[in-house]
Amino acid sequence: MRTHVKILMAGTAAVAASLSLCGVATSQQADGAPAAGSNTYLNDQVQLGDVIAGQTLNVQQATSGASAVTTSVANAVSAGATNADLAFQSSQAVSGSVAASTSVLVNGGGSPYLIGSTSATGNTATASTCCGTLSGTSTQSLTGPGVGATSDAYHGGYAATTSVDATALGNTQGWNTNAGVINAASNQSSYGGVTAVNTATVQATDEASYTATAVANDVEAYGTTSPVTLSVNQSQAGVTQALAANTQDYGGDAASTTSAVANNFNVYSDSYGNFIDATQSNTGAVNVSNNQTVGTWYGTTATTGYGVGNSTVVANAGSYTQATTDQNNAGGITVNASLYGGSLGDGGNAYVSATGVGNAVSGYACATCNGTISAHNKQVNSGSVHAGAALTAQNVTTASGVASAVGNTATYDVVSSGSN
């Protein structure tokens, strides 16, 4: 099973090295029509009942490490073709609850690692080809109560490395091809809530990573030496939220990251053309809360929160990018991130960041390939956007904070090979 989500803030994506072959762009339309002579895969999946997974790991000591991984998926499909064309037609629907929970507790002693990982997914699909045309249509719907992932971890002693994560995905579709062509369409709708929760308490750790990620609808397309023609329609009406509360008494580097996105769409290509048509609508709230407490630390402690209603990134290291985007966000965006130094509050570097965005679009093309961009963008945000960042400590080496609230943002760049 493959997880597709990769969230990028508008304006921060880097473009890969440009393709040596730069072709001539022509107008195209993504309709998902199968290529003549294609291998055909038809998929129809319906999940009516609940899908729930949970586990508890509770030990006094874990001298060689402690790890607990929990996964829950309602519908999953994967299809691929090598040296052949593939026509992929898929329909997936979930009306029950999808939930996963992990609880890992080590009461004391020393451990080389502490891992708690949880993922819950409503619908996931992947279609891929090598050296062939990938065509088709994917329809995914989530009409039940929603998707939830919860991770809880405790270590009463010392762990050299600590990793605790929770990922909740409503619908996710991947289109991938190498030395071929993508001509496809994705339709996603989500009416239930999508929630990721991460809580951890650790006495001492040298390196810690805490993440909570919630995405209601996600489409990812990757084309290597392959033009991409893709139409996407996404709608989310439920609440999308990522919540984290982490505490450690003593440590080195610690990073706590929370992100929630209602509709997410990413395209990456290095060929002679991207032809993208995206429509995204969100009416549900997007909530992000990240509270991290560290008593004493000798490295860098970072607390970040990111929430967005609709996000589209189109990056092409080839010669031409054409993107038509229509984004409408009516849900409230609330992002809060805080770093508290505890009773001592002594440490190295301290960083806190909170970013909330209603609608975000980024488009990139390759300058060294005589790259050009043709873009038509429409953005409407009627939801409120709030972002708050707080940093409290006693003695630190450096202290920095960022709070950013944006209604609509669109960035288009023609970037030369090797640029950062």
PDB file of all heavy atoms in Angstrom, residues 372-415:
ATOM      1  N   THR A 372       7.428  27.941 -20.342  1.00  0.00           N
ATOM      2  CA  THR A 372       6.377  28.947 -20.259  1.00  0.00           C
ATOM      3  C   THR A 372       5.247  28.420 -19.386  1.00  0.00           C
ATOM      4  O   THR A 372       5.074  27.215 -19.216  1.00  0.00           O
ATOM      5  CB  THR A 372       5.824  29.304 -21.651  1.00  0.00           C
ATOM      6  OG1 THR A 372       5.322  28.108 -22.267  1.00  0.00           O
ATOM      7  CG2 THR A 372       6.887  29.933 -22.523  1.00  0.00           C
ATOM      8  N   ILE A 373       4.477  29.366 -18.834  1.00  0.00           N
ATOM      9  CA  ILE A 373       3.319  29.034 -18.009  1.00  0.00           C
ATOM     10  C   ILE A 373       2.093  29.726 -18.583  1.00  0.00           C
ATOM     11  O   ILE A 373       2.128  30.925 -18.885  1.00  0.00           O
ATOM     12  CB  ILE A 373       3.515  29.469 -16.548  1.00  0.00           C
ATOM     13  CG1 ILE A 373       4.644  28.679 -15.891  1.00  0.00           C
ATOM     14  CG2 ILE A 373       2.224  29.273 -15.757  1.00  0.00           C
ATOM     15  CD1 ILE A 373       4.918  29.100 -14.459  1.00  0.00           C
ATOM     16  N   SER A 374       1.021  28.974 -18.734  1.00  0.00           N
ATOM     17  CA  SER A 374      -0.269  29.532 -19.084  1.00  0.00           C
ATOM     18  C   SER A 374      -1.215  29.199 -17.943  1.00  0.00           C
ATOM     19  O   SER A 374      -1.516  28.025 -17.708  1.00  0.00           O
ATOM     20  CB  SER A 374      -0.779  28.953 -20.408  1.00  0.00           C
ATOM     21  OG  SER A 374      -2.090  29.423 -20.673  1.00  0.00           O
ATOM     22  N   ALA A 375      -1.675  30.221 -17.204  1.00  0.00           N
ATOM     23  CA  ALA A 375      -2.455  29.969 -15.991  1.00  0.00           C
ATOM     24  C   ALA A 375      -3.734  30.793 -15.978  1.00  0.00           C
ATOM     25  O   ALA A 375      -3.742  31.974 -16.361  1.00  0.00           O
ATOM     26  CB  ALA A 375      -1.624  30.293 -14.756  1.00  0.00           C
ATOM     27  N   HIS A 376      -4.790  30.147 -15.553  1.00  0.00           N
ATOM     28  CA  HIS A 376      -6.065  30.817 -15.315  1.00  0.00           C
ATOM     29  C   HIS A 376      -6.528  30.390 -13.935  1.00  0.00           C
ATOM     30  O   HIS A 376      -6.857  29.223 -13.708  1.00  0.00           O
ATOM     31  CB  HIS A 376      -7.103  30.427 -16.375  1.00  0.00           C
ATOM     32  CG  HIS A 376      -8.422  31.120 -16.198  1.00  0.00           C
ATOM     33  ND1 HIS A 376      -9.563  30.724 -16.856  1.00  0.00           N
ATOM     34  CD2 HIS A 376      -8.785  32.185 -15.435  1.00  0.00           C
ATOM     35  CE1 HIS A 376     -10.576  31.510 -16.511  1.00  0.00           C
ATOM     36  NE2 HIS A 376     -10.132  32.397 -15.643  1.00  0.00           N
ATOM     37  N   ASN A 377      -6.529  31.324 -13.004  1.00  0.00           N
ATOM     38  CA  ASN A 377      -6.786  31.005 -11.608  1.00  0.00           C
ATOM     39  C   ASN A 377      -7.960  31.822 -11.080  1.00  0.00           C
ATOM     40  O   ASN A 377      -8.031  33.032 -11.280  1.00  0.00           O
ATOM     41  CB  ASN A 377      -5.534  31.300 -10.765  1.00  0.00           C
ATOM     42  CG  ASN A 377      -5.770  31.042  -9.284  1.00  0.00           C
ATOM     43  OD1 ASN A 377      -6.277  29.999  -8.906  1.00  0.00           O
ATOM     44  ND2 ASN A 377      -5.414  32.006  -8.452  1.00  0.00           N
ATOM     45  N   LYS A 378      -8.865  31.137 -10.387  1.00  0.00           N
ATOM     46  CA  LYS A 378      -9.974  31.796  -9.707  1.00  0.00           C
ATOM     47  C   LYS A 378     -10.007  31.306  -8.276  1.00  0.00           C
ATOM     48  O   LYS A 378     -10.045  30.093  -8.022  1.00  0.00           O
ATOM     49  CB  LYS A 378     -11.302  31.486 -10.400  1.00  0.00           C
ATOM     50  CG  LYS A 378     -12.509  32.126  -9.701  1.00  0.00           C
ATOM     51  CD  LYS A 378     -13.809  31.751 -10.384  1.00  0.00           C
ATOM     52  CE  LYS A 378     -15.016  32.353  -9.653  1.00  0.00           C
ATOM     53  NZ  LYS A 378     -16.296  31.958 -10.277  1.00  0.00           N
ATOM     54  N   GLN A 379     -10.001  32.235  -7.323  1.00  0.00           N
ATOM     55  CA  GLN A 379     -10.012  31.887  -5.903  1.00  0.00           C
ATOM     56  C   GLN A 379     -11.054  32.729  -5.176  1.00  0.00           C
ATOM     57  O   GLN A 379     -11.087  33.954  -5.309  1.00  0.00           O
ATOM     58  CB  GLN A 379      -8.635  32.127  -5.268  1.00  0.00           C
ATOM     59  CG  GLN A 379      -7.531  31.219  -5.803  1.00  0.00           C
ATOM     60  CD  GLN A 379      -6.164  31.583  -5.246  1.00  0.00           C
ATOM     61  OE1 GLN A 379      -5.796  32.763  -5.215  1.00  0.00           O
ATOM     62  NE2 GLN A 379      -5.408  30.583  -4.830  1.00  0.00           N
ATOM     63  N   VAL A 380     -11.887  32.058  -4.395  1.00  0.00           N
ATOM     64  CA  VAL A 380     -12.876  32.737  -3.554  1.00  0.00           C
ATOM     65  C   VAL A 380     -12.782  32.162  -2.151  1.00  0.00           C
ATOM     66  O   VAL A 380     -12.935  30.944  -1.960  1.00  0.00           O
ATOM     67  CB  VAL A 380     -14.307  32.566  -4.097  1.00  0.00           C
ATOM     68  CG1 VAL A 380     -15.310  33.214  -3.152  1.00  0.00           C
ATOM     69  CG2 VAL A 380     -14.439  33.146  -5.496  1.00  0.00           C
ATOM     70  N   ASN A 381     -12.514  33.020  -1.177  1.00  0.00           N
ATOM     71  CA  ASN A 381     -12.454  32.592   0.221  1.00  0.00           C
ATOM     72  C   ASN A 381     -13.454  33.402   1.033  1.00  0.00           C
ATOM     73  O   ASN A 381     -13.315  34.620   1.162  1.00  0.00           O
ATOM     74  CB  ASN A 381     -11.053  32.770   0.796  1.00  0.00           C
ATOM     75  CG  ASN A 381     -11.000  32.330   2.256  1.00  0.00           C
ATOM     76  OD1 ASN A 381     -11.375  31.199   2.567  1.00  0.00           O
ATOM     77  ND2 ASN A 381     -10.567  33.206   3.138  1.00  0.00           N
ATOM     78  N   SER A 382     -14.454  32.732   1.575  1.00  0.00           N
ATOM     79  CA  SER A 382     -15.432  33.393   2.435  1.00  0.00           C
ATOM     80  C   SER A 382     -15.313  32.935   3.881  1.00  0.00           C
ATOM     81  O   SER A 382     -16.055  33.414   4.746  1.00  0.00           O
ATOM     82  CB  SER A 382     -16.853  33.120   1.926  1.00  0.00           C
ATOM     83  OG  SER A 382     -17.113  31.734   1.840  1.00  0.00           O
ATOM     84  N   GLY A 383     -14.398  32.006   4.149  1.00  0.00           N
ATOM     85  CA  GLY A 383     -14.182  31.538   5.516  1.00  0.00           C
ATOM     86  C   GLY A 383     -13.164  32.388   6.245  1.00  0.00           C
ATOM     87  O   GLY A 383     -12.286  33.009   5.638  1.00  0.00           O
ATOM     88  N   SER A 384     -13.268  32.438   7.561  1.00  0.00           N
ATOM     89  CA  SER A 384     -12.294  33.173   8.362  1.00  0.00           C
ATOM     90  C   SER A 384     -10.981  32.413   8.418  1.00  0.00           C
ATOM     91  O   SER A 384     -10.953  31.185   8.322  1.00  0.00           O
ATOM     92  CB  SER A 384     -12.823  33.391   9.778  1.00  0.00           C
ATOM     93  OG  SER A 384     -13.070  32.143  10.422  1.00  0.00           O
ATOM     94  N   VAL A 385      -9.878  33.159   8.557  1.00  0.00           N
ATOM     95  CA  VAL A 385      -8.547  32.567   8.665  1.00  0.00           C
ATOM     96  C   VAL A 385      -7.866  33.142   9.894  1.00  0.00           C
ATOM     97  O   VAL A 385      -7.683  34.362   9.996  1.00  0.00           O
ATOM     98  CB  VAL A 385      -7.691  32.835   7.415  1.00  0.00           C
ATOM     99  CG1 VAL A 385      -6.324  32.161   7.551  1.00  0.00           C
ATOM    100  CG2 VAL A 385      -8.399  32.348   6.149  1.00  0.00           C
ATOM    101  N   HIS A 386      -7.489  32.264  10.831  1.00  0.00           N
ATOM    102  CA  HIS A 386      -6.820  32.693  12.063  1.00  0.00           C
ATOM    103  C   HIS A 386      -5.552  31.866  12.261  1.00  0.00           C
ATOM    104  O   HIS A 386      -5.576  30.645  12.118  1.00  0.00           O
ATOM    105  CB  HIS A 386      -7.729  32.507  13.278  1.00  0.00           C
ATOM    106  CG  HIS A 386      -8.990  33.310  13.241  1.00  0.00           C
ATOM    107  ND1 HIS A 386      -9.059  34.616  13.644  1.00  0.00           N
ATOM    108  CD2 HIS A 386     -10.237  32.982  12.817  1.00  0.00           C
ATOM    109  CE1 HIS A 386     -10.289  35.071  13.496  1.00  0.00           C
ATOM    110  NE2 HIS A 386     -11.039  34.098  12.991  1.00  0.00           N
ATOM    111  N   ALA A 387      -4.469  32.535  12.611  1.00  0.00           N
ATOM    112  CA  ALA A 387      -3.202  31.854  12.897  1.00  0.00           C
ATOM    113  C   ALA A 387      -2.571  32.491  14.132  1.00  0.00           C
ATOM    114  O   ALA A 387      -2.434  33.718  14.213  1.00  0.00           O
ATOM    115  CB  ALA A 387      -2.242  31.957  11.716  1.00  0.00           C
ATOM    116  N   GLY A 388      -2.187  31.653  15.097  1.00  0.00           N
ATOM    117  CA  GLY A 388      -1.573  32.157  16.319  1.00  0.00           C
ATOM    118  C   GLY A 388      -0.367  31.336  16.710  1.00  0.00           C
ATOM    119  O   GLY A 388      -0.408  30.102  16.673  1.00  0.00           O
ATOM    120  N   ALA A 389       0.720  32.008  17.062  1.00  0.00           N
ATOM    121  CA  ALA A 389       1.954  31.342  17.489  1.00  0.00           C
ATOM    122  C   ALA A 389       2.390  31.920  18.826  1.00  0.00           C
ATOM    123  O   ALA A 389       2.322  33.139  19.034  1.00  0.00           O
ATOM    124  CB  ALA A 389       3.059  31.524  16.449  1.00  0.00           C
ATOM    125  N   ALA A 390       2.845  31.035  19.737  1.00  0.00           N
ATOM    126  CA  ALA A 390       3.281  31.485  21.067  1.00  0.00           C
ATOM    127  C   ALA A 390       4.528  30.727  21.476  1.00  0.00           C
ATOM    128  O   ALA A 390       4.609  29.509  21.327  1.00  0.00           O
ATOM    129  CB  ALA A 390       2.175  31.269  22.097  1.00  0.00           C
ATOM    130  N   LEU A 391       5.504  31.465  22.014  1.00  0.00           N
ATOM    131  CA  LEU A 391       6.757  30.881  22.491  1.00  0.00           C
ATOM    132  C   LEU A 391       7.048  31.426  23.880  1.00  0.00           C
ATOM    133  O   LEU A 391       7.141  32.644  24.079  1.00  0.00           O
ATOM    134  CB  LEU A 391       7.905  31.225  21.537  1.00  0.00           C
ATOM    135  CG  LEU A 391       9.330  30.907  22.003  1.00  0.00           C
ATOM    136  CD1 LEU A 391       9.484  29.416  22.276  1.00  0.00           C
ATOM    137  CD2 LEU A 391      10.343  31.365  20.956  1.00  0.00           C
ATOM    138  N   THR A 392       7.190  30.519  24.863  1.00  0.00           N
ATOM    139  CA  THR A 392       7.478  30.895  26.241  1.00  0.00           C
ATOM    140  C   THR A 392       8.648  30.069  26.747  1.00  0.00           C
ATOM    141  O   THR A 392       8.593  28.841  26.735  1.00  0.00           O
ATOM    142  CB  THR A 392       6.262  30.671  27.151  1.00  0.00           C
ATOM    143  OG1 THR A 392       5.139  31.394  26.647  1.00  0.00           O
ATOM    144  CG2 THR A 392       6.565  31.127  28.571  1.00  0.00           C
ATOM    145  N   ALA A 393       9.705  30.740  27.166  1.00  0.00           N
ATOM    146  CA  ALA A 393      10.888  30.038  27.667  1.00  0.00           C
ATOM    147  C   ALA A 393      11.679  30.975  28.572  1.00  0.00           C
ATOM    148  O   ALA A 393      11.415  32.185  28.633  1.00  0.00           O
ATOM    149  CB  ALA A 393      11.754  29.544  26.521  1.00  0.00           C
ATOM    150  N   GLN A 394      12.683  30.423  29.267  1.00  0.00           N
ATOM    151  CA  GLN A 394      13.530  31.218  30.148  1.00  0.00           C
ATOM    152  C   GLN A 394      14.813  31.648  29.426  1.00  0.00           C
ATOM    153  O   GLN A 394      14.976  32.801  29.068  1.00  0.00           O
ATOM    154  CB  GLN A 394      13.874  30.413  31.413  1.00  0.00           C
ATOM    155  CG  GLN A 394      12.673  30.043  32.255  1.00  0.00           C
ATOM    156  CD  GLN A 394      11.997  31.244  32.863  1.00  0.00           C
ATOM    157  OE1 GLN A 394      12.658  32.207  33.246  1.00  0.00           O
ATOM    158  NE2 GLN A 394      10.670  31.203  32.945  1.00  0.00           N
ATOM    159  N   ASN A 395      15.708  30.715  29.206  1.00  0.00           N
ATOM    160  CA  ASN A 395      17.000  31.015  28.593  1.00  0.00           C
ATOM    161  C   ASN A 395      17.209  30.110  27.380  1.00  0.00           C
ATOM    162  O   ASN A 395      17.244  28.885  27.509  1.00  0.00           O
ATOM    163  CB  ASN A 395      18.138  30.798  29.594  1.00  0.00           C
ATOM    164  CG  ASN A 395      17.979  31.653  30.829  1.00  0.00           C
ATOM    165  OD1 ASN A 395      17.929  32.874  30.746  1.00  0.00           O
ATOM    166  ND2 ASN A 395      17.892  31.002  31.988  1.00  0.00           N
ATOM    167  N   VAL A 396      17.331  30.716  26.208  1.00  0.00           N
ATOM    168  CA  VAL A 396      17.537  29.951  24.984  1.00  0.00           C
ATOM    169  C   VAL A 396      18.655  30.594  24.176  1.00  0.00           C
ATOM    170  O   VAL A 396      19.017  31.765  24.388  1.00  0.00           O
ATOM    171  CB  VAL A 396      16.252  29.883  24.129  1.00  0.00           C
ATOM    172  CG1 VAL A 396      15.141  29.173  24.876  1.00  0.00           C
ATOM    173  CG2 VAL A 396      15.820  31.281  23.693  1.00  0.00           C
ATOM    174  N   THR A 397      19.184  29.821  23.230  1.00  0.00           N
ATOM    175  CA  THR A 397      20.221  30.365  22.348  1.00  0.00           C
ATOM    176  C   THR A 397      19.617  31.309  21.333  1.00  0.00           C
ATOM    177  O   THR A 397      20.048  32.456  21.177  1.00  0.00           O
ATOM    178  CB  THR A 397      20.954  29.226  21.628  1.00  0.00           C
ATOM    179  OG1 THR A 397      21.501  28.331  22.606  1.00  0.00           O
ATOM    180  CG2 THR A 397      22.080  29.770  20.753  1.00  0.00           C
ATOM    181  N   THR A 398      18.602  30.828  20.611  1.00  0.00           N
ATOM    182  CA  THR A 398      17.858  31.680  19.678  1.00  0.00           C
ATOM    183  C   THR A 398      16.379  31.424  19.862  1.00  0.00           C
ATOM    184  O   THR A 398      15.957  30.320  20.217  1.00  0.00           O
ATOM    185  CB  THR A 398      18.235  31.395  18.211  1.00  0.00           C
ATOM    186  OG1 THR A 398      17.917  30.033  17.898  1.00  0.00           O
ATOM    187  CG2 THR A 398      19.710  31.650  17.964  1.00  0.00           C
ATOM    188  N   ALA A 399      15.577  32.445  19.592  1.00  0.00           N
ATOM    189  CA  ALA A 399      14.125  32.333  19.677  1.00  0.00           C
ATOM    190  C   ALA A 399      13.522  33.011  18.458  1.00  0.00           C
ATOM    191  O   ALA A 399      13.847  34.160  18.152  1.00  0.00           O
ATOM    192  CB  ALA A 399      13.607  32.978  20.954  1.00  0.00           C
ATOM    193  N   SER A 400      12.641  32.310  17.747  1.00  0.00           N
ATOM    194  CA  SER A 400      12.002  32.895  16.571  1.00  0.00           C
ATOM    195  C   SER A 400      10.596  32.348  16.423  1.00  0.00           C
ATOM    196  O   SER A 400      10.319  31.194  16.772  1.00  0.00           O
ATOM    197  CB  SER A 400      12.823  32.607  15.307  1.00  0.00           C
ATOM    198  OG  SER A 400      12.939  31.218  15.086  1.00  0.00           O
ATOM    199  N   GLY A 401       9.711  33.181  15.895  1.00  0.00           N
ATOM    200  CA  GLY A 401       8.328  32.781  15.699  1.00  0.00           C
ATOM    201  C   GLY A 401       7.743  33.416  14.459  1.00  0.00           C
ATOM    202  O   GLY A 401       8.137  34.520  14.058  1.00  0.00           O
ATOM    203  N   VAL A 402       6.790  32.707  13.839  1.00  0.00           N
ATOM    204  CA  VAL A 402       6.114  33.189  12.642  1.00  0.00           C
ATOM    205  C   VAL A 402       4.636  32.857  12.771  1.00  0.00           C
ATOM    206  O   VAL A 402       4.271  31.731  13.102  1.00  0.00           O
ATOM    207  CB  VAL A 402       6.676  32.535  11.362  1.00  0.00           C
ATOM    208  CG1 VAL A 402       5.874  32.964  10.149  1.00  0.00           C
ATOM    209  CG2 VAL A 402       8.142  32.857  11.178  1.00  0.00           C
ATOM    210  N   ALA A 403       3.788  33.855  12.496  1.00  0.00           N
ATOM    211  CA  ALA A 403       2.348  33.643  12.425  1.00  0.00           C
ATOM    212  C   ALA A 403       1.859  34.284  11.127  1.00  0.00           C
ATOM    213  O   ALA A 403       2.102  35.466  10.886  1.00  0.00           O
ATOM    214  CB  ALA A 403       1.636  34.239  13.622  1.00  0.00           C
ATOM    215  N   SER A 404       1.166  33.490  10.292  1.00  0.00           N
ATOM    216  CA  SER A 404       0.745  33.980   8.985  1.00  0.00           C
ATOM    217  C   SER A 404      -0.669  33.508   8.680  1.00  0.00           C
ATOM    218  O   SER A 404      -0.947  32.310   8.731  1.00  0.00           O
ATOM    219  CB  SER A 404       1.719  33.497   7.900  1.00  0.00           C
ATOM    220  OG  SER A 404       1.290  33.880   6.616  1.00  0.00           O
ATOM    221  N   ALA A 405      -1.550  34.456   8.370  1.00  0.00           N
ATOM    222  CA  ALA A 405      -2.918  34.148   7.966  1.00  0.00           C
ATOM    223  C   ALA A 405      -3.158  34.756   6.590  1.00  0.00           C
ATOM    224  O   ALA A 405      -2.966  35.958   6.392  1.00  0.00           O
ATOM    225  CB  ALA A 405      -3.919  34.703   8.978  1.00  0.00           C
ATOM    226  N   VAL A 406      -3.567  33.922   5.632  1.00  0.00           N
ATOM    227  CA  VAL A 406      -3.726  34.359   4.243  1.00  0.00           C
ATOM    228  C   VAL A 406      -5.059  33.853   3.716  1.00  0.00           C
ATOM    229  O   VAL A 406      -5.387  32.670   3.880  1.00  0.00           O
ATOM    230  CB  VAL A 406      -2.581  33.831   3.350  1.00  0.00           C
ATOM    231  CG1 VAL A 406      -2.754  34.298   1.913  1.00  0.00           C
ATOM    232  CG2 VAL A 406      -1.221  34.264   3.897  1.00  0.00           C
ATOM    233  N   GLY A 407      -5.804  34.738   3.063  1.00  0.00           N
ATOM    234  CA  GLY A 407      -7.058  34.316   2.449  1.00  0.00           C
ATOM    235  C   GLY A 407      -6.824  33.546   1.169  1.00  0.00           C
ATOM    236  O   GLY A 407      -7.166  32.367   1.054  1.00  0.00           O
ATOM    237  N   ASN A 408      -6.220  34.213   0.165  1.00  0.00           N
ATOM    238  CA  ASN A 408      -5.914  33.600  -1.123  1.00  0.00           C
ATOM    239  C   ASN A 408      -4.472  33.905  -1.509  1.00  0.00           C
ATOM    240  O   ASN A 408      -4.011  35.035  -1.352  1.00  0.00           O
ATOM    241  CB  ASN A 408      -6.835  34.146  -2.221  1.00  0.00           C
ATOM    242  CG  ASN A 408      -8.298  33.877  -1.955  1.00  0.00           C
ATOM    243  OD1 ASN A 408      -8.704  32.735  -1.795  1.00  0.00           O
ATOM    244  ND2 ASN A 408      -9.100  34.933  -1.887  1.00  0.00           N
ATOM    245  N   THR A 409      -3.762  32.901  -2.038  1.00  0.00           N
ATOM    246  CA  THR A 409      -2.392  33.119  -2.503  1.00  0.00           C
ATOM    247  C   THR A 409      -2.148  32.300  -3.757  1.00  0.00           C
ATOM    248  O   THR A 409      -2.545  31.132  -3.841  1.00  0.00           O
ATOM    249  CB  THR A 409      -1.349  32.759  -1.425  1.00  0.00           C
ATOM    250  OG1 THR A 409      -0.036  32.936  -1.948  1.00  0.00           O
ATOM    251  CG2 THR A 409      -1.510  31.326  -0.945  1.00  0.00           C
ATOM    252  N   ALA A 410      -1.519  32.923  -4.743  1.00  0.00           N
ATOM    253  CA  ALA A 410      -1.164  32.241  -5.992  1.00  0.00           C
ATOM    254  C   ALA A 410       0.241  32.663  -6.384  1.00  0.00           C
ATOM    255  O   ALA A 410       0.560  33.852  -6.399  1.00  0.00           O
ATOM    256  CB  ALA A 410      -2.153  32.590  -7.102  1.00  0.00           C
ATOM    257  N   THR A 411       1.084  31.676  -6.705  1.00  0.00           N
ATOM    258  CA  THR A 411       2.476  31.926  -7.064  1.00  0.00           C
ATOM    259  C   THR A 411       2.812  31.152  -8.328  1.00  0.00           C
ATOM    260  O   THR A 411       2.588  29.940  -8.396  1.00  0.00           O
ATOM    261  CB  THR A 411       3.429  31.483  -5.939  1.00  0.00           C
ATOM    262  OG1 THR A 411       3.082  32.159  -4.737  1.00  0.00           O
ATOM    263  CG2 THR A 411       4.870  31.812  -6.295  1.00  0.00           C
ATOM    264  N   TYR A 412       3.358  31.859  -9.315  1.00  0.00           N
ATOM    265  CA  TYR A 412       3.774  31.221 -10.566  1.00  0.00           C
ATOM    266  C   TYR A 412       5.204  31.638 -10.857  1.00  0.00           C
ATOM    267  O   TYR A 412       5.526  32.824 -10.898  1.00  0.00           O
ATOM    268  CB  TYR A 412       2.860  31.633 -11.721  1.00  0.00           C
ATOM    269  CG  TYR A 412       1.415  31.256 -11.501  1.00  0.00           C
ATOM    270  CD1 TYR A 412       0.509  32.156 -10.944  1.00  0.00           C
ATOM    271  CD2 TYR A 412       0.959  29.983 -11.828  1.00  0.00           C
ATOM    272  CE1 TYR A 412      -0.813  31.812 -10.734  1.00  0.00           C
ATOM    273  CE2 TYR A 412      -0.372  29.619 -11.618  1.00  0.00           C
ATOM    274  CZ  TYR A 412      -1.250  30.543 -11.070  1.00  0.00           C
ATOM    275  OH  TYR A 412      -2.558  30.198 -10.850  1.00  0.00           O
ATOM    276  N   ASP A 413       6.088  30.645 -11.081  1.00  0.00           N
ATOM    277  CA  ASP A 413       7.502  30.916 -11.314  1.00  0.00           C
ATOM    278  C   ASP A 413       8.011  30.085 -12.477  1.00  0.00           C
ATOM    279  O   ASP A 413       7.637  28.930 -12.649  1.00  0.00           O
ATOM    280  CB  ASP A 413       8.350  30.574 -10.075  1.00  0.00           C
ATOM    281  CG  ASP A 413       8.120  31.552  -8.934  1.00  0.00           C
ATOM    282  OD1 ASP A 413       7.992  32.748  -9.223  1.00  0.00           O
ATOM    283  OD2 ASP A 413       8.070  31.105  -7.789  1.00  0.00           O
ATOM    284  N   VAL A 414       8.908  30.706 -13.251  1.00  0.00           N
ATOM    285  CA  VAL A 414       9.701  29.980 -14.225  1.00  0.00           C
ATOM    286  C   VAL A 414      11.091  29.887 -13.635  1.00  0.00           C
ATOM    287  O   VAL A 414      11.776  30.899 -13.463  1.00  0.00           O
ATOM    288  CB  VAL A 414       9.724  30.677 -15.586  1.00  0.00           C
ATOM    289  CG1 VAL A 414      10.601  29.909 -16.579  1.00  0.00           C
ATOM    290  CG2 VAL A 414       8.309  30.804 -16.125  1.00  0.00           C
ATOM    291  N   VAL A 415      11.544  28.667 -13.295  1.00  0.00           N
ATOM    292  CA  VAL A 415      12.733  28.468 -12.491  1.00  0.00           C
ATOM    293  C   VAL A 415      13.781  27.744 -13.326  1.00  0.00           C
ATOM    294  O   VAL A 415      13.507  26.734 -13.977  1.00  0.00           O
ATOM    295  CB  VAL A 415      12.421  27.637 -11.234  1.00  0.00           C
ATOM    296  CG1 VAL A 415      13.654  27.500 -10.353  1.00  0.00           C
ATOM    297  CG2 VAL A 415      11.283  28.289 -10.455  1.00  0.00           C
TER     298      VAL A 415
END
